[in-house]
Amino acid sequence: GQQVMQIPQYQHVQEGEDFTTYCNSSTTLSNIQWYKQRPGGHPVFLIQLVKSGEVKKQKRLTFQFGEAKKNSSLHITATQTTDVGTYFCAAHRSNDYKLSFGAGTTVTVRA
Amino acid sequence: NAGVTQTPKFQVLKTGQSMTLQCAQDMNHEYMSWYRQDPGMGLRLIHYSVGAGITDQGEVPNGYNVSRSTTEDFPLRLLSAAPSQTSVYFCASSYSRAGVWETQYFGPGTRLLVL
């Protein structure tokens, strides 16, 4: 089964509003990676978090890794139409190359 | 660099047919993986390789074979296609640095329909 659970599955956002997608695991994770997949495209790497409590920002995107390294979040402020797509979290367990993906959050934006 | 390339882009098979999905990378990455993507399921790992000559099973390996004779190539073979294998297949490559797994680079995908 999937190592990481991601919610919500769908997010319908008014342009200009904020939203957050969450990724949770029952086990301690080695890292968290976030990817974005545009409709019809392939996943593209956004960022990796490795340290407990780590927070990283990319313009309007804020990524957090929980203190216990069991959860993560992606917060997008002032959503734009360019944010449309599916956002995946993915994680390695310690000392394991295999990368487990969450089911993804598919984002649509109302202009 | 071309990055990760996959062929074909689209394929229609009849049940029972076999075929090979090709994947190549020119970044000298040690790690390569095959995923399948189905609606609502995210990406599920089929097989992966940590180097030439080394392969291992992922989450959903049944019905698929892989080999890694060179660092660059990682083909995925469907032995006897079934409708349940209708999916989008992504190949990815990556590397590690100082004990930290780095980003996965994905190919453009192969869309497979099994009738």
Side-chain angles (χ1 to χ4, degrees):
Chain A
Q2 285 182 322
Q3 177 187 348
V4 290
M5 304 301 295
Q6 193 171 352
I7 56 171
Q9 186 174 0
Y10 298 99
Q11 185 78 56
H12 308 289
V13 187
Q14 180 72 40
E15 190 173 16
E17 290 184 341
D18 303 351
F19 75 90
T20 304
T21 175
Y22 301 90
C23 190
N24 299 295
S25 172
S26 59
T27 59
T28 301
L29 303 171
S30 175
N31 63 347
I32 277 281
Q33 297 180 349
W34 285 90
Y35 292 79
K36 178 182 179 181
Q37 183 179 25
R38 296 184 183 276
H42 60 275
V44 174
F45 176 79
L46 293 176
I47 209 160
Q48 173 165 257
L49 305 173
V50 179
K51 299 176 182 177
S52 169
E54 191 169 12
V55 178
K56 288 187 177 180
K57 292 189 176 183
Q58 287 180 350
K59 297 183 179 179
R60 296 179 295 102
L61 279 60
T62 301
F63 304 85
Q64 290 188 313
F65 200 9
E67 293 289 343
K69 300 184 74 172
K70 290 184 177 181
N71 57 75
S72 181
S73 64
L74 161 58
H75 181 78
I76 299 182
T77 58
T79 302
Q80 300 176 359
T81 55
T82 54
D83 296 323
V84 164
T86 300
Y87 294 83
F88 293 99
C89 63
H92 291 100
R93 284 178 293 190
S94 297
N95 300 319
D96 190 347
Y97 164 69
K98 290 183 284 186
L99 191 63
S100 294
F101 280 80
T105 295
T106 298
V107 177
T108 55
V109 179
R110 300 188 301 273
Chain B
N1 287 351
V4 180
T5 58
Q6 291 183 239
T7 56
K9 291 185 179 180
F10 303 96
Q11 184 70 49
V12 179
L13 292 178
K14 294 181 180 179
T15 297
Q17 286 185 317
S18 62
M19 80 159 295
T20 299
L21 280 62
Q22 301 293 341
C23 175
Q25 54 95 5
D26 62 358
M27 297 173 283
N28 201 32
H29 286 171
E30 56 205 296
Y31 305 109
M32 297 187 74
S33 306
W34 275 102
Y35 297 88
R36 60 176 289 172
Q37 183 174 33
D38 304 292
M41 301 291 289
L43 293 122
R44 292 183 293 170
L45 183 64
I46 304 172
H47 285 285
Y48 67 100
S49 169
V50 299
I54 306 170
T55 64
D56 206 345
Q57 296 181 350
E59 189 182 352
V60 288
N62 292 340
Y64 307 95
N65 275 355
V66 292
S67 60
R68 183 99 180 268
S69 56
T70 66
T71 299
E72 294 78 20
D73 300 299
F74 192 43
L76 178 72
R77 297 182 187 84
L78 279 69
L79 309 173
S80 178
S84 60
Q85 292 179 306
T86 293
S87 187
V88 181
Y89 291 85
F90 289 103
C91 178
S93 72
S94 66
Y95 63 101
S96 65
R97 180 169 53 190
V100 178
W101 309 112
E102 297 293 340
T103 177
Q104 299 235 343
Y105 294 84
F106 283 84
T110 294
R111 284 152 180 78
L112 176 67
L113 172 63
V114 183
L115 301 173

